[in-house]
Amino acid sequence: MAYSLCSSHSPIVHERHTLSLSLSSTKNPRIRNFNHPSKLNFLSSQYKTPSLQISHVSVHDPVTEETKSEVVGEAATTGNPDGNSGSSSKSYIWVNPRSPRAPQLRKKSYHTRYTNLVEVAESLNSCNANEDEVLKVLGTLSGKLLEQDAVVILNNMVNAEIAVLALKYFQQNLKPEREVILYNVTLKVFRKSKNLPGAEKLFDEMLKKGIKPDNVTFSTMISCARISSLPEKAVEWFEKMSSFGCDPDDVTYSAMIDAYGRAGNVDMAFSLYDRARTEKWRIDGVTFSTLIRIHGQSGNYDGCLNVFEEMKAIGVKPNVVVYNTLLDAMGRAKRPWQAKKIYQEMISSGFEPSFVTYAALLRAFGRSRYGDDCVNVYKEMKEKGMKLNVILYNTILSMCADLGYTDEAISIFEDLKSSETMPDSWTFSSMITIYSCSGQVPEAEAMLNEMLKAGFAPNIFVLTSLIQCYGKAKRIDDVVKTFNDLLELDISPDERFCGCLLNVMTQTPKEELSKLTACIEIAYPKLGYVVKLLLEDDNSENFKNEASELFETVGADVRKAYCNCLIDLSMNLDQLDRACEILNIGVTQEVYTDIQTRSPSQWSLNLKGLSLGAALTALHVWINDLTKILESGEEFPPLLGINTGHGKHKYSDKGFTLAGVFDSRLKELNAPFHEAPDNAGWFLTTKVAAKSWLESRKSSELVAA
């Protein structure tokens, strides 16, 4: 095969300020195409020398021309083995690769010299950081030292300390036309080692010598700050450019989207991004990742997805960092279904999930209580030998506590203890909650003792769980003792703690209710007074006013729980009218919304989110409302339905479901509602059956009267 003596070598870097060796000419080169494989082309002496280009700067080396002339001269004196005369007036000289002189000519090409320069750079990287060692290595260079030789060597170095010594050597032994180029490639070495302080020191040296920095200088400093995770510094260097007469190009602007975003200047980041879209700048994956993160932190989760789609639309392929950032955002948004979709796309794109990927999935599934998915991710991590930190363990255990995954939680906790991970107070709190909600008193108490031995004092979450545990076990005296422990620890009971006391009252025998009432009156006097009025069966307007005021002042996150418990307590005390009154207050103050809904085709009773007592009370009210509607002559829709939901109570040993209780209750009432076979949790009937049943109830009530 033929060898090209002037073959160009591969680019040195792949950045905006790409450093490459190119062959240039003052004239437009005339390219001659030959298909014969035995012919070899190389430059004649009339062409310009190989030039080293950094961004828009070229270093023209006359010595390289001499080198090439020497090669051409030798070829001419040797004579063309093919019989074609070589002339300097022609663009190419062909040499038969079988000629004895071909290997010698090939050695004289700049490609071979470039290879030698790279080897010198490698030797410098491994030598001792002193001038004598550097001088010794650079002394091995043959021929006249060229400015572009210095650039090639510096560009291939990774040891910043030695690069500075090499730069000093070149400055002493060369008279560079553009000394800023030598500084730029040396700054790149500092960037490779993420040494921004060293780069800044070298920049100051430039200024002291009167060398004006150019765009490449600043882009190198900015990128050095970025990869050093110093976005504020990147912004600082970017904002210096104008004072030196440098105008950023679109790539630098794109990089600054990421820098401003990481530095917290969100408005500037999005302003540049809007400009980038308009002017079609080239934006890298890191910048898109930053934009997604900014949207996620501000709660604009649709914005995260929009940026992701825009990224793909302009042909930028998402990398692992982008996928992980988006997964984290979807976890914050509690959109586990989108997290699953993004993860599947990531896998189908050929990316291997990392620890960060799995951690984002655990948070996404754990926060949204996607129990099976979360546990499966945990198992996959363990199969791959990944070690979880205590925060991830706590995320899983907290989810298990909320979903009643008792067995899974116990297994995961044992795995945590067998690893090098140390449980913290939140770990113990979740385990105590799991045992408490299951009514496993000995296990909860044992976990509390383990927590104390580990040096953690019980917090309000632990004490709340213990009260719930003793309440389920009907150990009311232990509930009171735990409440007193809370006061002794100088912990102020919050609304959730009081809600737990109220919930325990719904499971407590009537004769022991006064013990808990006393606790609630101390913890939350307003709630205690309402409970006291309820127990006294006060039929005056006083109860209604006090209860209404309570729901106006209590936190939104506990309003429904308080209302449910007060209704349940009323039902336990056979105070149906009081339960209806509380339900009405809850509807009026929008504690409950859309319990009764109507459409032209169906009227519905929606009971999801209601306690058993509240749901039965709502059914009683609905039946009475339907009876009044029937009496008024208003037409019924074709269908009537009751939606109980189909979920099992998370800590019910007997598999309690609201749907199961209502199935029995509706049969007791002889109501014509039947569970829909294709829609779990729904009980439906027709208007004909409903009207007939309501009329029969009315007749029965008249007979009974």
Side-chain angles (χ1 to χ4, degrees):
M1 61 179 291
Y3 298 97
S4 174
L5 300 186
C6 56
S7 61
S8 62
H9 37 273
S10 60
I12 298 173
V13 291
H14 302 281
E15 300 185 15
R16 171 176 65 83
H17 44 290
T18 302
L19 178 63
S20 63
L21 291 172
S22 61
L23 298 174
S24 61
S25 173
T26 55
K27 300 179 181 180
N28 291 327
R30 293 171 295 168
I31 301 176
R32 302 172 65 183
N33 297 319
F34 295 91
N35 296 322
H36 199 288
S38 65
K39 292 186 177 181
L40 175 69
N41 67 329
F42 59 96
L43 288 176
S44 69
S45 60
Q46 79 178 127
Y47 280 89
K48 279 285 183 179
T49 64
S51 64
L52 183 64
Q53 294 185 344
I54 305 177
S55 188
H56 305 294
V57 182
S58 297
V59 180
H60 297 283
D61 183 7
V63 181
T64 305
E65 185 172 338
E66 295 172 10
T67 303
K68 290 187 296 178
S69 298
E70 180 182 348
V71 175
V72 173
E74 290 193 26
T77 56
T78 302
N80 193 319
D82 286 340
N84 298 328
S85 62
S87 171
S88 62
S89 63
K90 295 183 179 181
S91 299
Y92 298 93
I93 297 176
W94 294 93
V95 177
N96 190 329
R98 294 189 179 89
S99 168
R101 299 290 295 164
Q104 297 179 28
L105 297 176
R106 188 164 60 251
K107 288 181 181 180
K108 294 179 180 291
S109 70
Y110 196 80
H111 177 78
T112 301
R113 182 168 180 80
Y114 174 83
T115 303
N116 293 336
L117 295 175
V118 173
E119 292 174 353
V120 169
E122 292 173 352
S123 298
L124 286 172
N125 288 329
S126 58
C127 78
N128 295 325
N130 60 69
E131 293 185 6
D132 291 339
E133 287 287 328
V134 171
L135 180 62
K136 181 179 179 181
V137 173
L138 292 175
T140 62
L141 290 171
S142 60
K144 183 177 181 179
L145 182 64
L146 314 179
E147 185 174 347
Q148 65 192 58
D149 293 345
V151 174
V152 171
I153 292 172
L154 289 169
N155 188 71
N156 283 278
M157 293 187 67
V158 294
N159 189 317
E161 186 178 2
I162 298 175
V164 173
L165 297 176
L167 172 64
K168 182 179 179 181
Y169 173 88
F170 293 134
Q171 290 171 323
Q172 293 172 348
N173 291 274
L174 290 170
K175 292 182 179 180
E177 296 179 11
R178 292 289 308 278
E179 195 168 353
V180 67
I181 298 174
L182 296 181
Y183 275 101
N184 287 344
V185 288
T186 308
L187 288 172
K188 283 178 59 183
V189 183
F190 282 94
R191 184 182 63 188
K192 292 174 186 177
S193 57
K194 300 181 181 180
N195 185 355
L196 182 61
E200 291 178 328
K201 183 178 178 181
L202 187 62
F203 181 87
D204 291 338
E205 179 187 308
M206 282 180 60
L207 299 184
K208 289 178 181 178
K209 293 186 66 174
I211 299 171
K212 183 182 177 182
D214 60 13
N215 276 14
V216 177
T217 311
F218 282 103
S219 67
T220 304
M221 296 301 296
I222 290 168
S223 58
C224 182
R226 285 181 68 200
I227 66 173
S228 300
S229 300
L230 297 170
E232 293 84 0
K233 278 289 187 179
V235 170
E236 180 183 319
W237 279 101
F238 173 73
E239 294 177 349
K240 284 181 180 179
M241 292 185 72
S242 59
S243 63
F244 287 89
C246 295
D247 295 322
D249 61 12
D250 59 347
V251 178
T252 302
Y253 274 126
S254 298
M256 292 313 300
I257 297 174
D258 169 66
Y260 275 112
R262 291 176 181 270
N265 192 338
V266 175
D267 292 339
M268 187 64 174
F270 281 120
S271 175
L272 287 175
Y273 180 58
D274 290 339
R275 183 176 169 186
R277 289 187 292 184
T278 302
E279 301 181 16
K280 297 182 179 179
W281 297 344
R282 187 177 64 212
I283 306 177
D284 60 18
V286 174
T287 300
F288 277 111
S289 176
T290 298
L291 290 168
I292 292 170
R293 179 178 55 80
I294 294 172
H295 277 306
Q297 290 176 344
S298 64
N300 183 8
Y301 302 113
D302 289 333
C304 296
L305 295 171
N306 290 339
V307 169
F308 182 64
E309 293 302 325
E310 288 173 5
M311 174 185 186
K312 293 189 290 184
I314 64 174
V316 179
K317 293 183 178 181
N319 55 26
V320 173
V321 176
V322 171
Y323 280 117
N324 289 345
T325 305
L326 191 59
L327 286 171
D328 182 70
M330 293 302 101
R332 293 173 183 269
K334 293 187 176 180
R335 299 181 183 180
W337 62 92
Q338 287 182 322
K340 291 177 72 172
K341 180 180 178 182
I342 292 163
Y343 176 69
Q344 290 166 358
E345 179 182 324
M346 173 183 171
I347 298 301
S348 64
S349 298
F351 292 106
E352 183 71 20
S354 64
F355 176 86
V356 177
T357 309
Y358 286 120
L361 288 172
L362 281 180
R363 288 190 292 268
F365 295 146
R367 289 169 179 167
S368 302
R369 302 319 186 221
Y370 268 42
D372 291 342
D373 291 303
C374 187
V375 172
N376 287 338
V377 170
Y378 161 76
K379 290 179 179 178
E380 189 170 335
M381 291 181 75
K382 298 305 294 183
E383 289 173 359
K384 292 187 175 183
M386 294 184 180
K387 295 182 178 180
L388 282 70
N389 57 37
V390 70
I391 296 175
L392 292 179
Y393 274 115
N394 289 345
T395 299
I396 306 170
L397 292 174
S398 176
M399 179 210 69
C400 290
D402 279 353
L403 298 179
Y405 281 27
T406 304
D407 294 339
E408 291 85 349
I410 294 172
S411 174
I412 292 168
F413 181 69
E414 291 301 321
D415 170 60
L416 180 151
K417 290 197 298 183
S418 64
S419 68
E420 298 178 356
T421 308
M422 296 297 295
D424 60 14
S425 61
W426 292 107
T427 314
F428 290 113
S429 179
S430 293
M431 293 305 300
I432 291 171
T433 298
I434 289 167
Y435 287 128
S436 297
C437 292
S438 303
Q440 297 175 258
V441 176
E443 290 81 358
E445 291 179 333
M447 190 59 64
L448 175 63
N449 291 332
E450 189 173 342
M451 178 180 183
L452 295 173
K453 289 180 181 178
F456 299 107
N459 54 29
I460 193 169
F461 302 104
V462 171
L463 297 174
T464 301
S465 295
L466 288 173
I467 281 180
Q468 185 175 11
C469 184
Y470 290 130
K472 289 178 74 72
K474 305 293 190 294
R475 291 169 53 169
I476 306 305
D477 288 338
D478 286 323
V479 171
V480 175
K481 180 181 179 299
T482 303
F483 175 74
N484 291 331
D485 290 341
L486 177 135
L487 298 179
E488 290 176 5
L489 290 168
D490 199 26
I491 299 175
S492 299
D494 60 10
E495 290 180 340
R496 289 182 177 272
F497 181 87
C498 296
C500 186
L501 283 172
L502 190 59
N503 182 61
V504 171
M505 290 190 73
T506 66
Q507 308 167 56
T508 301
K510 186 175 182 179
E511 58 273 13
E512 293 191 277
L513 288 175
S514 59
K515 298 177 182 178
L516 298 176
T517 304
C519 295
I520 293 178
E521 286 180 311
I522 295 172
Y524 193 167
K526 186 71 176 176
L527 175 61
Y529 186 53
V530 171
V531 172
K532 184 177 179 181
L533 292 176
L534 190 154
L535 294 178
E536 293 174 353
D537 197 13
D538 188 332
N539 293 319
S540 67
E541 285 291 312
N542 193 24
F543 175 82
K544 181 178 180 180
N545 294 335
E546 291 293 334
S548 297
E549 188 175 329
L550 172 67
F551 293 130
E552 287 174 356
T553 57
V554 76
D557 58 334
V558 297
R559 292 174 77 203
K560 184 178 286 188
Y562 278 27
C563 205
N564 280 340
C565 287
L566 290 173
I567 294 173
D568 286 351
L569 186 57
S570 300
M571 294 291 282
N572 291 346
L573 297 172
D574 294 324
Q575 297 180 15
L576 179 58
D577 290 342
R578 177 55 52 78
C580 292
E581 184 179 16
I582 298 170
L583 179 68
N584 184 57
I585 295 172
V587 172
T588 302
Q589 298 202 11
E590 296 185 344
V591 176
Y592 302 117
T593 57
D594 298 326
I595 290 182
Q596 294 187 28
T597 58
R598 295 187 181 188
S599 72
S601 60
Q602 183 174 324
W603 291 351
S604 302
L605 178 66
N606 301 297
L607 304 175
K608 293 179 67 175
L610 273 65
S611 63
L612 176 58
L616 292 173
T617 302
L619 175 64
H620 173 80
V621 171
W622 193 52
I623 291 173
N624 287 344
D625 290 345
L626 291 176
T627 301
K628 293 175 183 178
I629 293 170
L630 179 65
E631 292 173 351
S632 70
E634 184 179 347
E635 189 63 28
F636 279 35
L639 283 177
L640 291 90
I642 301 171
N643 180 17
T644 64
H646 61 277
K648 181 182 85 70
H649 190 280
K650 59 188 178 184
Y651 287 107
S652 174
D653 295 331
K654 298 180 180 179
F656 164 82
T657 63
L658 196 56
V661 173
F662 259 69
D663 185 44
S664 300
R665 180 58 178 162
L666 292 170
K667 288 177 180 177
E668 290 175 7
L669 296 173
N670 200 28
F673 290 87
H674 302 284
E675 190 165 9
D678 58 344
N679 202 349
W682 273 94
F683 295 84
L684 301 174
T685 190
T686 64
K687 70 174 183 179
V688 175
K691 290 172 69 175
S692 175
W693 174 65
L694 292 171
E695 288 170 351
S696 66
R697 276 176 57 85
K698 182 180 178 182
S699 300
S700 299
E701 289 173 359
L702 290 174
V703 171

PDB file of all heavy atoms in Angstrom, residues 650-671:
ATOM      1  N   LYS A 650     -53.586  -1.116  56.341  1.00  0.00           N
ATOM      2  CA  LYS A 650     -52.195  -1.545  56.293  1.00  0.00           C
ATOM      3  C   LYS A 650     -51.745  -2.384  57.473  1.00  0.00           C
ATOM      4  O   LYS A 650     -50.826  -3.179  57.365  1.00  0.00           O
ATOM      5  CB  LYS A 650     -51.279  -0.320  56.146  1.00  0.00           C
ATOM      6  CG  LYS A 650     -51.409   0.695  57.268  1.00  0.00           C
ATOM      7  CD  LYS A 650     -50.607   1.955  56.940  1.00  0.00           C
ATOM      8  CE  LYS A 650     -50.756   3.007  58.021  1.00  0.00           C
ATOM      9  NZ  LYS A 650     -50.077   4.253  57.678  1.00  0.00           N
ATOM     10  N   TYR A 651     -52.337  -2.207  58.648  1.00  0.00           N
ATOM     11  CA  TYR A 651     -51.904  -2.968  59.822  1.00  0.00           C
ATOM     12  C   TYR A 651     -53.011  -3.860  60.367  1.00  0.00           C
ATOM     13  O   TYR A 651     -53.018  -4.209  61.529  1.00  0.00           O
ATOM     14  CB  TYR A 651     -51.426  -2.020  60.927  1.00  0.00           C
ATOM     15  CG  TYR A 651     -50.090  -1.413  60.610  1.00  0.00           C
ATOM     16  CD1 TYR A 651     -49.976  -0.083  60.233  1.00  0.00           C
ATOM     17  CD2 TYR A 651     -48.925  -2.182  60.659  1.00  0.00           C
ATOM     18  CE1 TYR A 651     -48.745   0.474  59.939  1.00  0.00           C
ATOM     19  CE2 TYR A 651     -47.693  -1.631  60.364  1.00  0.00           C
ATOM     20  CZ  TYR A 651     -47.604  -0.317  60.007  1.00  0.00           C
ATOM     21  OH  TYR A 651     -46.384   0.235  59.711  1.00  0.00           O
ATOM     22  N   SER A 652     -53.973  -4.232  59.515  1.00  0.00           N
ATOM     23  CA  SER A 652     -55.067  -5.088  59.978  1.00  0.00           C
ATOM     24  C   SER A 652     -54.672  -6.552  59.884  1.00  0.00           C
ATOM     25  O   SER A 652     -54.314  -7.048  58.824  1.00  0.00           O
ATOM     26  CB  SER A 652     -56.324  -4.838  59.131  1.00  0.00           C
ATOM     27  OG  SER A 652     -57.329  -5.747  59.487  1.00  0.00           O
ATOM     28  N   ASP A 653     -54.730  -7.240  61.022  1.00  0.00           N
ATOM     29  CA  ASP A 653     -54.424  -8.675  61.025  1.00  0.00           C
ATOM     30  C   ASP A 653     -55.520  -9.475  60.345  1.00  0.00           C
ATOM     31  O   ASP A 653     -55.300 -10.552  59.816  1.00  0.00           O
ATOM     32  CB  ASP A 653     -54.270  -9.168  62.468  1.00  0.00           C
ATOM     33  CG  ASP A 653     -53.074  -8.528  63.161  1.00  0.00           C
ATOM     34  OD1 ASP A 653     -52.107  -8.197  62.446  1.00  0.00           O
ATOM     35  OD2 ASP A 653     -53.117  -8.346  64.389  1.00  0.00           O
ATOM     36  N   LYS A 654     -56.711  -8.937  60.343  1.00  0.00           N
ATOM     37  CA  LYS A 654     -57.857  -9.680  59.806  1.00  0.00           C
ATOM     38  C   LYS A 654     -58.156  -9.288  58.366  1.00  0.00           C
ATOM     39  O   LYS A 654     -59.183  -9.648  57.824  1.00  0.00           O
ATOM     40  CB  LYS A 654     -59.093  -9.423  60.677  1.00  0.00           C
ATOM     41  CG  LYS A 654     -58.915  -9.905  62.119  1.00  0.00           C
ATOM     42  CD  LYS A 654     -60.153  -9.626  62.945  1.00  0.00           C
ATOM     43  CE  LYS A 654     -59.981 -10.095  64.394  1.00  0.00           C
ATOM     44  NZ  LYS A 654     -61.183  -9.810  65.226  1.00  0.00           N
ATOM     45  N   GLY A 655     -57.269  -8.516  57.760  1.00  0.00           N
ATOM     46  CA  GLY A 655     -57.497  -8.133  56.374  1.00  0.00           C
ATOM     47  C   GLY A 655     -58.670  -7.191  56.224  1.00  0.00           C
ATOM     48  O   GLY A 655     -59.411  -7.251  55.239  1.00  0.00           O
ATOM     49  N   PHE A 656     -58.854  -6.308  57.178  1.00  0.00           N
ATOM     50  CA  PHE A 656     -59.979  -5.378  57.143  1.00  0.00           C
ATOM     51  C   PHE A 656     -59.939  -4.498  55.911  1.00  0.00           C
ATOM     52  O   PHE A 656     -58.920  -3.927  55.553  1.00  0.00           O
ATOM     53  CB  PHE A 656     -59.942  -4.497  58.398  1.00  0.00           C
ATOM     54  CG  PHE A 656     -60.806  -3.268  58.309  1.00  0.00           C
ATOM     55  CD1 PHE A 656     -62.156  -3.344  58.573  1.00  0.00           C
ATOM     56  CD2 PHE A 656     -60.266  -2.046  57.935  1.00  0.00           C
ATOM     57  CE1 PHE A 656     -62.953  -2.211  58.487  1.00  0.00           C
ATOM     58  CE2 PHE A 656     -61.050  -0.916  57.851  1.00  0.00           C
ATOM     59  CZ  PHE A 656     -62.396  -1.002  58.126  1.00  0.00           C
ATOM     60  N   THR A 657     -61.075  -4.393  55.237  1.00  0.00           N
ATOM     61  CA  THR A 657     -61.257  -3.434  54.161  1.00  0.00           C
ATOM     62  C   THR A 657     -62.608  -2.781  54.342  1.00  0.00           C
ATOM     63  O   THR A 657     -63.565  -3.404  54.836  1.00  0.00           O
ATOM     64  CB  THR A 657     -61.221  -4.083  52.770  1.00  0.00           C
ATOM     65  OG1 THR A 657     -62.302  -5.005  52.645  1.00  0.00           O
ATOM     66  CG2 THR A 657     -59.892  -4.801  52.534  1.00  0.00           C
ATOM     67  N   LEU A 658     -62.668  -1.518  53.958  1.00  0.00           N
ATOM     68  CA  LEU A 658     -63.945  -0.811  54.041  1.00  0.00           C
ATOM     69  C   LEU A 658     -64.968  -1.456  53.126  1.00  0.00           C
ATOM     70  O   LEU A 658     -66.167  -1.531  53.463  1.00  0.00           O
ATOM     71  CB  LEU A 658     -63.721   0.659  53.648  1.00  0.00           C
ATOM     72  CG  LEU A 658     -64.821   1.657  54.019  1.00  0.00           C
ATOM     73  CD1 LEU A 658     -65.100   1.626  55.516  1.00  0.00           C
ATOM     74  CD2 LEU A 658     -64.430   3.051  53.562  1.00  0.00           C
ATOM     75  N   ALA A 659     -64.501  -1.962  51.986  1.00  0.00           N
ATOM     76  CA  ALA A 659     -65.422  -2.635  51.053  1.00  0.00           C
ATOM     77  C   ALA A 659     -66.043  -3.863  51.695  1.00  0.00           C
ATOM     78  O   ALA A 659     -67.251  -4.126  51.540  1.00  0.00           O
ATOM     79  CB  ALA A 659     -64.666  -3.019  49.780  1.00  0.00           C
ATOM     80  N   GLY A 660     -65.231  -4.627  52.438  1.00  0.00           N
ATOM     81  CA  GLY A 660     -65.778  -5.823  53.089  1.00  0.00           C
ATOM     82  C   GLY A 660     -66.816  -5.494  54.139  1.00  0.00           C
ATOM     83  O   GLY A 660     -67.866  -6.161  54.240  1.00  0.00           O
ATOM     84  N   VAL A 661     -66.566  -4.455  54.932  1.00  0.00           N
ATOM     85  CA  VAL A 661     -67.531  -4.043  55.957  1.00  0.00           C
ATOM     86  C   VAL A 661     -68.814  -3.553  55.290  1.00  0.00           C
ATOM     87  O   VAL A 661     -69.925  -3.868  55.742  1.00  0.00           O
ATOM     88  CB  VAL A 661     -66.917  -2.937  56.847  1.00  0.00           C
ATOM     89  CG1 VAL A 661     -67.961  -2.388  57.809  1.00  0.00           C
ATOM     90  CG2 VAL A 661     -65.725  -3.483  57.606  1.00  0.00           C
ATOM     91  N   PHE A 662     -68.689  -2.806  54.217  1.00  0.00           N
ATOM     92  CA  PHE A 662     -69.889  -2.274  53.565  1.00  0.00           C
ATOM     93  C   PHE A 662     -70.689  -3.354  52.871  1.00  0.00           C
ATOM     94  O   PHE A 662     -71.919  -3.263  52.775  1.00  0.00           O
ATOM     95  CB  PHE A 662     -69.483  -1.159  52.575  1.00  0.00           C
ATOM     96  CG  PHE A 662     -69.711   0.213  53.124  1.00  0.00           C
ATOM     97  CD1 PHE A 662     -68.933   0.682  54.168  1.00  0.00           C
ATOM     98  CD2 PHE A 662     -70.719   1.015  52.644  1.00  0.00           C
ATOM     99  CE1 PHE A 662     -69.135   1.928  54.706  1.00  0.00           C
ATOM    100  CE2 PHE A 662     -70.941   2.270  53.177  1.00  0.00           C
ATOM    101  CZ  PHE A 662     -70.150   2.743  54.223  1.00  0.00           C
ATOM    102  N   ASP A 663     -70.017  -4.358  52.386  1.00  0.00           N
ATOM    103  CA  ASP A 663     -70.743  -5.472  51.774  1.00  0.00           C
ATOM    104  C   ASP A 663     -71.682  -6.090  52.802  1.00  0.00           C
ATOM    105  O   ASP A 663     -72.866  -6.346  52.506  1.00  0.00           O
ATOM    106  CB  ASP A 663     -69.748  -6.513  51.261  1.00  0.00           C
ATOM    107  CG  ASP A 663     -70.431  -7.638  50.503  1.00  0.00           C
ATOM    108  OD1 ASP A 663     -71.331  -7.347  49.687  1.00  0.00           O
ATOM    109  OD2 ASP A 663     -70.075  -8.803  50.726  1.00  0.00           O
ATOM    110  N   SER A 664     -71.184  -6.274  54.023  1.00  0.00           N
ATOM    111  CA  SER A 664     -72.021  -6.835  55.098  1.00  0.00           C
ATOM    112  C   SER A 664     -73.115  -5.853  55.508  1.00  0.00           C
ATOM    113  O   SER A 664     -74.282  -6.244  55.730  1.00  0.00           O
ATOM    114  CB  SER A 664     -71.162  -7.185  56.311  1.00  0.00           C
ATOM    115  OG  SER A 664     -70.176  -8.126  55.979  1.00  0.00           O
ATOM    116  N   ARG A 665     -72.742  -4.561  55.622  1.00  0.00           N
ATOM    117  CA  ARG A 665     -73.710  -3.558  56.053  1.00  0.00           C
ATOM    118  C   ARG A 665     -74.839  -3.381  55.056  1.00  0.00           C
ATOM    119  O   ARG A 665     -76.025  -3.279  55.426  1.00  0.00           O
ATOM    120  CB  ARG A 665     -72.979  -2.218  56.254  1.00  0.00           C
ATOM    121  CG  ARG A 665     -73.885  -1.069  56.711  1.00  0.00           C
ATOM    122  CD  ARG A 665     -74.593  -1.394  57.995  1.00  0.00           C
ATOM    123  NE  ARG A 665     -75.421  -0.279  58.436  1.00  0.00           N
ATOM    124  CZ  ARG A 665     -76.405  -0.393  59.316  1.00  0.00           C
ATOM    125  NH1 ARG A 665     -76.698  -1.582  59.861  1.00  0.00           N
ATOM    126  NH2 ARG A 665     -77.121   0.665  59.680  1.00  0.00           N
ATOM    127  N   LEU A 666     -74.528  -3.388  53.777  1.00  0.00           N
ATOM    128  CA  LEU A 666     -75.557  -3.238  52.757  1.00  0.00           C
ATOM    129  C   LEU A 666     -76.498  -4.434  52.729  1.00  0.00           C
ATOM    130  O   LEU A 666     -77.716  -4.299  52.484  1.00  0.00           O
ATOM    131  CB  LEU A 666     -74.918  -3.041  51.379  1.00  0.00           C
ATOM    132  CG  LEU A 666     -74.175  -1.704  51.187  1.00  0.00           C
ATOM    133  CD1 LEU A 666     -73.377  -1.714  49.889  1.00  0.00           C
ATOM    134  CD2 LEU A 666     -75.155  -0.534  51.195  1.00  0.00           C
ATOM    135  N   LYS A 667     -75.958  -5.609  53.024  1.00  0.00           N
ATOM    136  CA  LYS A 667     -76.814  -6.803  53.105  1.00  0.00           C
ATOM    137  C   LYS A 667     -77.740  -6.711  54.305  1.00  0.00           C
ATOM    138  O   LYS A 667     -78.905  -7.123  54.244  1.00  0.00           O
ATOM    139  CB  LYS A 667     -75.945  -8.055  53.183  1.00  0.00           C
ATOM    140  CG  LYS A 667     -75.250  -8.392  51.863  1.00  0.00           C
ATOM    141  CD  LYS A 667     -74.343  -9.610  51.999  1.00  0.00           C
ATOM    142  CE  LYS A 667     -73.654  -9.925  50.678  1.00  0.00           C
ATOM    143  NZ  LYS A 667     -72.698 -11.060  50.784  1.00  0.00           N
ATOM    144  N   GLU A 668     -77.235  -6.177  55.420  1.00  0.00           N
ATOM    145  CA  GLU A 668     -78.073  -5.988  56.605  1.00  0.00           C
ATOM    146  C   GLU A 668     -79.237  -5.043  56.318  1.00  0.00           C
ATOM    147  O   GLU A 668     -80.351  -5.233  56.810  1.00  0.00           O
ATOM    148  CB  GLU A 668     -77.246  -5.423  57.764  1.00  0.00           C
ATOM    149  CG  GLU A 668     -76.237  -6.396  58.359  1.00  0.00           C
ATOM    150  CD  GLU A 668     -75.377  -5.728  59.414  1.00  0.00           C
ATOM    151  OE1 GLU A 668     -75.667  -4.556  59.755  1.00  0.00           O
ATOM    152  OE2 GLU A 668     -74.417  -6.361  59.887  1.00  0.00           O
ATOM    153  N   LEU A 669     -78.967  -4.029  55.501  1.00  0.00           N
ATOM    154  CA  LEU A 669     -79.999  -3.055  55.151  1.00  0.00           C
ATOM    155  C   LEU A 669     -80.887  -3.541  54.012  1.00  0.00           C
ATOM    156  O   LEU A 669     -81.863  -2.857  53.645  1.00  0.00           O
ATOM    157  CB  LEU A 669     -79.347  -1.724  54.743  1.00  0.00           C
ATOM    158  CG  LEU A 669     -78.551  -0.985  55.824  1.00  0.00           C
ATOM    159  CD1 LEU A 669     -77.822   0.214  55.222  1.00  0.00           C
ATOM    160  CD2 LEU A 669     -79.478  -0.530  56.939  1.00  0.00           C
ATOM    161  N   ASN A 670     -80.548  -4.703  53.474  1.00  0.00           N
ATOM    162  CA  ASN A 670     -81.276  -5.243  52.332  1.00  0.00           C
ATOM    163  C   ASN A 670     -81.236  -4.282  51.140  1.00  0.00           C
ATOM    164  O   ASN A 670     -82.167  -4.202  50.347  1.00  0.00           O
ATOM    165  CB  ASN A 670     -82.736  -5.547  52.711  1.00  0.00           C
ATOM    166  CG  ASN A 670     -83.381  -6.526  51.743  1.00  0.00           C
ATOM    167  OD1 ASN A 670     -82.714  -7.368  51.135  1.00  0.00           O
ATOM    168  ND2 ASN A 670     -84.703  -6.420  51.579  1.00  0.00           N
ATOM    169  N   ALA A 671     -80.126  -3.543  51.049  1.00  0.00           N
ATOM    170  CA  ALA A 671     -79.965  -2.560  49.978  1.00  0.00           C
ATOM    171  C   ALA A 671     -79.596  -3.263  48.676  1.00  0.00           C
ATOM    172  O   ALA A 671     -78.856  -4.251  48.692  1.00  0.00           O
ATOM    173  CB  ALA A 671     -78.900  -1.548  50.349  1.00  0.00           C
TER     174      ALA A 671
END
